[in-house]
């Protein structure tokens, strides 16, 4: 049982480049989310999905796109990378309440 | 002002000490309160979950919620070096919502 798998683990981008952060879960969870974690800022919600075909914006959605075509996958797309998007990105699935979220191990992104 | 405030620490204690970690919040609508533990370069993992006010105990860990004061706490008894991690509080308004708001995290170090 792999849980939540994020790829890549590390990435360096040049300003203006685009890329997709991959997230896959094998627990049949309906809820999936993307967070970014920055020093002194905690975890901030970027986008989330409550099921296949349904997505919504979180606290810091600008510069990011998502889609949810299957229950298992929830990719995060950076349209035109900026240095302000340098961060650690976590994908999570599950329930925000009693059973909590299962987090992936993160993608460390540096934009130069 | 952030919705959830948490002292970033670091907090350094000797092995065997009782640790108290705290968060305050401003949104009186929060009803679900969680504590996550995050080891260095790993994703957060759910440690404790509490609904509304009251206490919940799980082994060496006790979570307390005081909704009248908008204050939550996590106590760790007989702290161990393996407890060294960052502890994040998190809360949400409804059970079936993806809007999980995190504190910035408190870094704890337990030395032998």
């Amino acid at each position: 049982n792999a849980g939540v798998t994020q790829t890549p683990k590390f990435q360096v981008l040049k300003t203006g480049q685009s890329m997709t952060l991959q997230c896959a879960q094998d627990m049949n969870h309906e809820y999936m989310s993307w967070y970014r974690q920055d020093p002194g800022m905690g975890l901030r919600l970027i986008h989330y999905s409550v099921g296949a075909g349904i997505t919504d914006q979180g606290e810091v959605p600008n510069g990011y796109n998502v889609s949810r075509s299957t229950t298992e996958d929830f990719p995060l797309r950076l349209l035109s990378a900026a240095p302000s998007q340098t961060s650690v990105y976590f994908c999570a699935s599950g329930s925000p309440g009693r059973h909590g979220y299962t987090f992936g191990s993160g993608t460390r992104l540096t934009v130069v | 002002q952030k919705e959830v405030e948490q002292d970033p620490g670091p907090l350094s204690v000797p092995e065997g000490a009782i640790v108290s970690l705290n968060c305050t919040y401003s949104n009186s609508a929060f009803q679900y309160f969680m504590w996550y533990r995050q080891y260095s370069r790993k994703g957060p993992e759910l440690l404790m979950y509490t609904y509304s006010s009251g206490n919940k105990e799980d082994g060496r860990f006790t979570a307390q919620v005081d909704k009248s004061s908008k204050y939550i706490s996590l106590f760790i008894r007989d702290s161990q070096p393996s407890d060294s991690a960052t502890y994040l509080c998190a809360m949400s308004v409804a059970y079936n919502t993806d809007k999980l708001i995190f504190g910035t995290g408190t870094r704890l170090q337990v030395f032998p």
Side-chain angles (χ1 to χ4, degrees):
Chain A
N1 193 348
V4 178
T5 302
Q6 288 185 240
T7 56
K9 294 191 184 302
F10 302 93
Q11 183 71 49
V12 179
L13 285 179
K14 292 183 179 179
T15 298
Q17 286 185 317
S18 63
M19 79 159 296
T20 299
L21 279 62
Q22 301 291 344
C23 176
Q25 54 98 1
D26 61 359
M27 297 170 287
N28 203 31
H29 286 158
E30 290 188 3
Y31 291 90
M32 294 188 76
S33 304
W34 277 102
Y35 287 86
R36 58 178 290 174
Q37 188 173 35
D38 303 290
M41 301 295 290
L43 285 159
R44 292 182 293 168
L45 182 64
I46 305 171
H47 284 287
Y48 67 99
S49 170
V50 298
I54 306 170
T55 63
D56 205 347
Q57 296 180 350
E59 181 184 357
V60 287
N62 292 341
Y64 307 95
N65 271 359
V66 292
S67 60
R68 184 104 179 265
S69 56
T70 67
T71 300
E72 295 78 20
D73 300 298
F74 192 42
L76 179 72
R77 282 181 286 276
L78 278 70
L79 308 174
S80 178
S84 61
Q85 293 178 305
T86 293
S87 187
V88 181
Y89 291 85
F90 287 101
C91 179
S93 76
S95 166
R98 183 186 325 163
H99 301 293
Y101 275 132
T102 299
F103 281 81
S105 57
T107 294
R108 294 181 178 274
L109 176 68
T110 301
V111 183
V112 298
Chain B
Q1 183 186 3
K2 293 180 181 178
E3 275 191 289
V4 179
E5 299 278 359
Q6 185 174 8
D7 189 330
L11 183 61
S12 185
V13 301
E15 183 175 355
I18 296 174
V19 175
S20 172
L21 303 166
N22 312 294
C23 287
T24 59
Y25 62 94
S26 57
N27 187 351
S28 58
F30 286 139
Q31 295 192 84
Y32 298 86
F33 304 92
M34 287 137 273
W35 286 94
Y36 282 79
R37 178 175 61 194
Q38 184 176 23
Y39 291 112
S40 181
R41 296 187 173 267
K42 300 289 186 182
E45 56 179 342
L46 182 66
L47 194 60
M48 298 285 286
Y49 158 86
T50 310
Y51 168 68
S52 193
S53 286
N55 296 356
K56 184 173 184 178
E57 189 173 319
D58 184 2
R60 297 184 294 112
F61 299 90
T62 299
Q64 286 186 352
V65 174
D66 182 350
K67 290 190 70 179
S68 63
S69 301
K70 299 190 182 67
Y71 188 87
I72 70 171
S73 301
L74 178 71
F75 296 95
I76 306 174
R77 292 183 298 279
D78 187 25
S79 56
Q80 303 294 311
S82 58
D83 295 327
S84 298
T86 296
Y87 290 81
L88 303 118
C89 62
M91 45 199 81
S92 65
V93 172
Y95 178 79
N96 289 325
T97 178
D98 201 83
K99 299 284 189 181
L100 194 59
I101 307 300
F102 283 85
T104 54
T106 299
R107 190 158 63 91
L108 171 68
Q109 183 174 6
V110 182
F111 56 91

